[in-house]
Amino acid sequence: MSNASLVAYVGEPDFHDGSILALERQGSAVRVRVRGASGKVFVVAFSGVLAVRDKSPEGMRLYALTELHGEPPVRRFVFANWDDESKECLEVDAADFSVFEE
């Protein structure tokens, strides 16, 4: 991930050292369940999803949820993997997102 394209870290600070529990897709909506480092479970709900790029994201240990520059009005979100050598990944191109505690 290039720092030049980073817009911001988004979501909960608790995502740092957390992990992805599940990826759920339904039409143009995607929900990602994340267990934070504290043990709390959060849902990241994406709306207006145009693309999802993933490879075995369940169980992936997170460094952070980041927003990278995308082609407006689409926003690009990357669940940054703590392990740079791992092939696990999850990226979502969507119009918007929200986070709530489950």
Side-chain angles (χ1 to χ4, degrees):
M1 176 174 58
S2 167
N3 286 338
S5 64
L6 178 69
V7 173
Y9 291 103
V10 295
E12 295 291 324
D14 197 24
F15 289 178
H16 185 80
D17 289 335
S19 61
I20 295 177
L21 298 175
L23 169 65
E24 303 163 355
R25 304 176 204 210
Q26 187 173 26
S28 66
V30 167
R31 292 168 46 110
V32 180
R33 292 182 63 233
V34 174
R35 181 177 313 281
S38 70
K40 293 179 184 175
V41 175
F42 299 91
V43 174
V44 185
F46 295 96
S47 59
V49 174
L50 294 181
V52 176
R53 291 171 297 284
D54 67 298
K55 181 167 184 165
S56 305
E58 289 86 359
M60 183 173 80
R61 185 170 166 217
L62 296 177
Y63 176 74
L65 174 54
T66 62
E67 181 176 353
L68 304 182
H69 286 284
E71 293 294 321
V74 177
R75 300 166 69 186
R76 183 174 175 217
F77 300 95
V78 175
F79 289 82
N81 193 329
W82 186 260
D83 180 359
D84 291 336
E85 303 298 317
S86 174
K87 294 186 186 322
E88 299 168 324
C89 64
L90 178 56
E91 299 181 8
V92 180
D93 294 346
D96 205 2
F97 83 108
S98 61
V99 178
F100 56 92
E101 194 172 331
E102 190 171 68

